[in-house]
Amino acid sequence: PKGVINDWRRFKQLETEQRQEQRREMERLIKKLSMTCRSHLDDEADKQKQKELQEKINGKMTLQEYNMIHNDEDDEEFLQRYRKQRMEEMRQQLYSGQQFKQVFEITSGEAFLDTVDKEHKSTLIMIHIYEDDIPGTESLNGCMICLAAEYPAVKFCRVKSSLIGASTRFTNNALPALLVYKAGELIGNFVRITDQLGEDFFAVDLEAFLQECGLLPEKDL
């Protein structure tokens, strides 16, 4: 029995040593795998970040979306690059687009529809609906002539209400009216604009009013 007990103890000792060695080997493998995985994940994170930066530059992500994802020290550098690129794109769009520089007279209802629907979708169109004997008409005409020279990429037009089939009630109560269109959609509708500006106003007054409404681009763009 004594020999059996010693053999049993030796067997248990070897079994314990084997388990300890196996545990050490497993820990070594886990550590190795963990380091490998972390390195791979880091690489994937870098690739994803580069992809997001490129998408941001290409305009596929909004600035708000990007800021929600990243708040790192290199954000400021990226934003500077992004602003510079966007400013350059806007300059190219502004100077490569059609230049109008005058107020166009619309002579029929059909011409009115063509002006709204057939102009390039990026063109901002402002149409003054008028009659000569309406208070404020002369002021608005003068203002549009001035603004057409200062905002050559904006198309300024005017049309008599009688040519587009407006009723006498509309002519007497809604004029002078200023309608603003872009891509065929009405985005600004100011009937009897004299209620906001008075009957005697200047180009700077109309300009400030339209900029307040977000309907004129900044001059420095």
Side-chain angles (χ1 to χ4, degrees), residues 33-89:
L33 287 171
S34 138
M35 292 176 64
T36 304
C37 291
R38 184 171 58 185
S39 175
H40 175 68
L41 291 174
D42 288 343
D43 290 342
E44 289 299 316
D46 289 341
K47 289 178 182 178
Q48 180 64 23
K49 186 171 183 180
Q50 289 298 323
K51 180 181 177 183
E52 289 166 357
L53 288 174
Q54 190 59 48
E55 288 181 345
K56 179 69 177 66
I57 291 175
N58 293 339
K60 294 180 181 178
M61 295 173 60
T62 66
L63 188 59
Q64 184 180 11
E65 288 170 339
Y66 181 81
N67 285 336
M68 289 174 65
I69 296 172
H70 295 289
N71 191 21
D72 304 320
E73 63 276 2
D74 60 344
D75 279 353
E76 186 61 32
E77 179 184 354
F78 166 74
L79 289 175
Q80 291 294 337
R81 285 166 47 206
Y82 177 73
R83 290 190 190 106
K84 184 177 180 181
Q85 179 170 326
R86 291 298 297 152
M87 288 293 290
E88 184 59 31
E89 288 173 359

Side-chain angles (χ1 to χ4, degrees), residues 131 161-162 164-175:
E131 287 294 338
S161 61
S162 56
I164 57 174
S167 66
T168 303
R169 184 169 179 271
F170 176 85
T171 299
N172 292 336
N173 294 284
L175 301 185

Side-chain angles (χ1 to χ4, degrees), residues 91-176:
R91 284 193 191 96
Q92 290 177 1
Q93 187 178 33
L94 178 63
Y95 291 108
S96 63
Q98 189 172 355
Q99 304 284 292
F100 301 102
K101 300 182 181 181
Q102 63 176 328
V103 178
F104 295 86
E105 188 76 30
I106 298 174
T107 57
S108 68
E110 185 178 351
F112 177 89
L113 295 176
D114 287 345
T115 299
V116 171
D117 295 331
K118 294 185 178 181
E119 192 57 68
H120 192 277
K121 64 180 181 179
S122 66
T123 300
L124 189 66
I125 305 168
M126 299 201 178
I127 302 178
H128 172 203
I129 302 177
Y130 75 98
E131 287 294 338
D132 292 326
D133 57 346
I134 301 295
T137 293
E138 187 176 345
S139 293
L140 188 51
N141 282 335
C143 291
M144 294 186 69
I145 291 171
C146 293
L147 294 183
E150 295 186 26
Y151 295 88
V154 178
K155 187 171 185 178
F156 290 88
C157 308
R158 66 177 197 162
V159 61
K160 283 194 171 185
S161 61
S162 56
L163 294 176
I164 57 174
S167 66
T168 303
R169 184 169 179 271
F170 176 85
T171 299
N172 292 336
N173 294 284
L175 301 185

